[in-house]
Amino acid sequence: MPDLPLTGEFNALAFRRHFPLLHGNDLIYLDSAATKQKPAEVIEAVEKFYSTYNANVHRGIYKLADEATDAYENSRDTVRAFINARSSREIIFTRGSTESINLVAQSYVAARLQNGTNIVISEMEHHSNLIPWQQLAKKSGAELRVIPINDNGDLILEEGLGLIDKRTTIIALVHTSNSLGTINPINVFIEKARKSKSTILIDAAQAMAHQSIDVQALDCDFLVFSAHKMFGPTGVGVLYGKQELLEEMPPYQYGGEMIESVSLESSTFRLPPHRFEAGTPNIAGVIGLASSIHFLDTWKPDKLGSHSKILAEIAVELLQSIGVRLIGTPVRRAGIVSFLLDDIHPHDVATLLDQEGIAVRAGHHCTEPVMRYYEIPGTLRLSFSAYNTREEVEQVAKALPRIRKILG
Amino acid sequence: MENPKLYHPLILKHNKHPFHFFKDEHAQFVIQASNPICGDRFTLFLSLQDQVISQASFHGYGCAVSKAATSMLVERMYQKSIPKILQMTQEYLKMFESGNQIHDRELEIFKVAREFPGRTQCARLSWQKLSEEFQAWTQD
């Protein structure tokens, strides 16, 4: 056994006990980049809403509705505090990161694009932060510029920064790559955005449960994330936007909850954030998100992230000793490791790992341009959370040679 | 792991040594079968003579199951007419829904794919595509 770093003082087993699906279960769940398992605290918060104070928000003239509205709006403030936004008006609840990005694309960027302007993204974007921009560029005649990656799976900085100029309407950049594990130097790009007077959106979906994020310190214009990747429920996410930008933006969808007054001929709309929350929102989801933030606050995202990162480092070392092909060896890695076992198809490896009770992801991970760069159809991906242990990583390393024997 | 259920020895054999695994530049018909979700992509190269398949090969990339299923399909096409092949593919594809026995018992090694999340498509990929193509031809 090589000399591996210790997993520090973090007690993964104590953390794991909070997760009903994992506690007392031998399942080795290594697909946390897809979605995190849910702690009892979050499950109970959602259940408590439905069983004790379920009502629609913002409209009932009765106590129960008040209670639901308070919980919903308090959740907004919980999110505000978590990312240190200046005002809770800067927090918009959406269905997830994808919708948050589409909202910015349609409501802020679309009207500002024309021939000669450009949009800057990177080659490692998740499809959710690629396709909305690609389609907008096509419609408007704006240029889609792509920050290239190198063989390590890092952004080529000089080239990337050179793409940003005074005609850059928006830079949309992923904080942490879901397929390569790369943590990008987003500060450098935010600084460049400020200099070129461009707007910058950060896709922080993979970051929120792994490090603390302070939007004022970062000085990004928009930040998006999904609750389910930070131990919260699926179907709910957040768009953070600077208030002055949100106030300039027309509604993204129309309907109830977002209006001031309506006649048959015309309507006026509420201020942000409600302007962007048409229809009955995912109240239980938002309450669950707030609960997941309280959970994260207790355990500290930085500590959870550092445990995941150590597991990834152990995985890299063990995988290298087996002789796999690592896809992505970035300078700064999150708790995500992609690789290929010889020329065995990732799906075959994943099926055999599943037979041993190990759940991993196989495929392109919604990052087809990354797969194209490496000229591969997909990868196997191990993605860790703080409920994973070093022993689980070792189980994977033990299983792979057996799989190689069967399929190699 | 001692009993890798999905991976019957015959599947492993065809995965390692697929039948007629090459590109045939002289083929009369070229059919693409691909699954955008997993990236599997096979090309079938076929030629007809006297109403029966006289030459068949394939090339491409896919998992052990999709490769073996394609290999065993190509192997079975020789000297068969299009209606006969269509009958075979339809019976094979129905097996995944009904779980029934089929005439060609050897092909039943793929039936177990039904028990594996997301893997039925691997066993069906080339068969499905060929079936659709041949059906269109016979309707023309």
Side-chain angles (χ1 to χ4, degrees):
Chain A
M1 178 59 82
D3 190 21
L4 297 169
L6 294 170
T7 52
E9 285 168 23
F10 185 80
N11 189 342
L13 291 176
F15 186 74
R16 190 181 174 98
R17 276 199 284 276
H18 288 258
F19 295 80
L21 190 143
L22 296 171
H23 183 50
N25 184 345
D26 289 335
L27 170 71
I28 299 179
Y29 182 76
L30 301 179
D31 197 19
S32 286
T35 197
K36 301 275 187 302
Q37 294 302 337
K38 315 304 171 201
E41 289 86 335
V42 170
I43 299 167
E44 281 160 17
V46 172
E47 205 239 321
K48 191 177 163 202
F49 166 69
Y50 281 128
S51 55
T52 67
Y53 61 103
N54 173 55
N56 210 331
V57 292
H58 299 142
R59 52 179 89 155
I61 312 298
Y62 50 90
K63 268 192 188 152
L64 201 63
D66 243 11
E67 204 180 331
T69 303
D70 282 351
Y72 184 76
E73 290 302 328
N74 287 342
S75 299
R76 201 187 299 279
D77 200 58
T78 301
V79 175
R80 182 209 60 76
F82 185 59
I83 60 172
N84 193 31
R86 271 178 306 171
S87 156
S88 58
R89 289 172 188 276
E90 297 180 316
I91 307 300
I92 296 158
F93 292 122
T94 63
R95 283 192 298 134
S97 302
T98 300
E99 190 179 45
S100 300
I101 294 167
N102 277 281
L103 197 165
V104 175
Q106 295 306 326
S107 184
Y108 182 80
V109 179
R112 289 170 170 76
L113 289 177
Q114 49 185 291
N115 262 328
T117 56
N118 64 76
I119 297 169
V120 176
I121 61 166
S122 87
E123 197 169 3
M124 66 168 81
E125 297 308 320
H126 189 281
H127 293 166
S128 60
N129 200 29
L130 157 62
I131 305 170
W133 308 118
Q134 178 194 72
Q135 296 303 313
L136 261 192
K138 268 192 184 168
K139 259 191 217 162
S140 63
E143 185 190 351
L144 184 69
R145 296 181 177 175
V146 182
I147 306 165
I149 59 173
N150 62 22
D151 290 349
N152 295 338
D154 280 312
L155 296 178
I156 303 177
L157 285 189
E158 256 176 55
E159 218 170 306
L161 291 169
L163 298 175
I164 300 162
D165 58 29
K166 298 241 181 293
R167 309 294 321 265
T168 301
T169 307
I170 189 144
I171 305 156
L173 188 61
V174 67
H175 180 293
T176 300
S177 157
N178 71 309
S179 57
L180 297 164
T182 313
I183 299 176
N184 286 317
I186 51 165
N187 283 312
V188 179
F189 286 92
I190 294 170
E191 205 175 300
K192 176 74 182 178
R194 295 291 75 92
K195 276 186 194 150
S196 64
K197 301 208 180 334
S198 310
T199 305
I200 185 162
L201 174 147
I202 301 296
D203 169 7
Q206 293 294 343
M208 302 308 290
H210 300 277
Q211 66 177 91
S212 47
I213 295 278
D214 179 331
V215 290
Q216 289 191 69
L218 279 175
D219 195 24
C220 57
D221 298 301
F222 296 105
L223 184 103
V224 306
F225 55 94
S226 298
H228 73 99
K229 292 194 201 291
M230 45 196 281
F231 308 111
T234 54
V236 64
V238 169
L239 166 65
Y240 156 80
K242 282 184 179 165
Q243 195 168 340
E244 59 269 30
L245 299 181
L246 294 177
E247 279 170 3
E248 287 175 32
M249 289 160 58
Y252 167 62
Q253 291 179 333
Y254 298 90
E257 304 251 9
M258 46 81 72
I259 46 91
E260 272 176 353
S261 72
V262 177
S263 72
L264 285 177
E265 293 77 28
S266 66
S267 306
T268 55
F269 307 112
R270 292 174 74 183
L271 288 170
H274 300 105
R275 178 188 295 176
F276 302 106
E277 294 177 7
T280 295
N282 183 353
I283 307 166
V286 164
I287 287 166
L289 165 61
S291 161
S292 75
I293 289 174
H294 295 314
F295 181 77
L296 276 167
D297 278 337
T298 309
W299 288 91
K300 307 291 175 218
D302 291 324
K303 276 193 183 161
L304 304 183
S306 108
H307 178 72
S308 303
K309 184 178 155 52
I310 289 168
L311 293 179
E313 282 164 6
I314 294 171
V316 165
E317 197 152 348
L318 288 172
L319 290 173
Q320 275 174 332
S321 72
I322 296 168
V324 307
R325 178 182 171 199
L326 288 173
I327 304 298
T329 48
V331 175
R332 284 180 70 210
R333 183 194 285 281
I336 294 172
V337 182
S338 260
F339 67 98
L340 285 168
L341 183 63
D342 310 331
D343 57 355
I344 307 172
H345 195 287
H347 282 193
D348 290 323
V349 181
T351 291
L352 288 175
L353 284 173
D354 186 38
Q355 270 187 259
E356 300 216 358
I358 302 170
V360 305
R361 191 72 151 205
H364 53 58
H365 319 294
C366 293
T367 56
E368 280 195 49
V370 171
M371 303 302 130
R372 234 170 275 260
Y373 174 86
Y374 288 100
E375 295 177 341
I376 53 175
T379 74
L380 283 152
R381 182 185 71 184
L382 312 179
S383 59
F384 302 104
S385 182
Y387 39 61
N388 293 122
T389 64
R390 177 196 181 114
E391 289 68 33
E392 290 182 314
V393 185
E394 288 167 356
Q395 288 298 318
V396 177
K398 275 185 201 152
L400 292 175
R402 292 199 289 268
I403 291 171
R404 182 182 259 161
K405 224 169 160 185
I406 294 168
L407 290 170
Chain B
M1 192 69 79
E2 275 156 27
N3 175 25
K5 225 173 144 195
L6 180 59
Y7 301 95
H8 188 279
L10 195 57
I11 291 181
L12 294 174
K13 189 188 131 205
H14 275 271
N15 179 45
K16 234 176 220 172
H17 308 289
F19 180 79
H20 280 201
F21 191 67
F22 58 84
K23 294 176 188 168
D24 179 3
E25 284 169 18
H26 306 292
Q28 292 169 357
F29 310 103
V30 176
I31 296 170
Q32 296 263 10
S34 60
N35 181 350
I37 294 165
C38 60
D40 286 7
R41 186 186 294 268
F42 290 109
T43 310
L44 286 93
F45 302 90
L46 309 175
S47 293
L48 272 170
Q49 202 175 356
D50 302 328
Q51 308 287 317
V52 295
I53 295 287
S54 57
Q55 177 64 35
S57 69
F58 79 110
H59 202 263
Y61 180 86
C63 65
V65 177
S66 64
K67 195 172 186 181
T70 309
S71 172
M72 289 171 74
L73 169 64
V74 169
E75 193 181 50
R76 278 159 172 74
M77 289 165 77
Y78 273 85
Q79 298 307 317
K80 282 198 179 86
S81 67
I82 296 209
K84 193 86 190 153
I85 293 169
L86 195 52
Q87 201 181 348
M88 175 181 75
T89 55
Q90 285 172 343
E91 192 192 17
Y92 173 83
L93 293 168
K94 266 189 205 140
M95 169 180 81
F96 294 98
E97 287 146 33
S98 64
N100 289 346
Q101 280 190 4
I102 55 175
H103 286 95
D104 191 338
R105 299 302 301 275
E106 209 172 46
L107 290 173
E108 289 186 9
I109 56 173
F110 291 103
K111 197 154 67 177
V112 71
R114 302 198 309 164
E115 295 168 31
F116 290 84
R119 298 306 299 271
T120 312
Q121 198 45 40
C122 313
R124 294 173 59 106
L125 178 64
S126 300
W127 289 75
Q128 176 91 40
K129 184 67 191 174
L130 191 77
S131 195
E132 285 166 10
E133 288 281 333
F134 280 6
Q135 202 152 18
W137 291 7
T138 52
Q139 279 163 2
D140 280 346

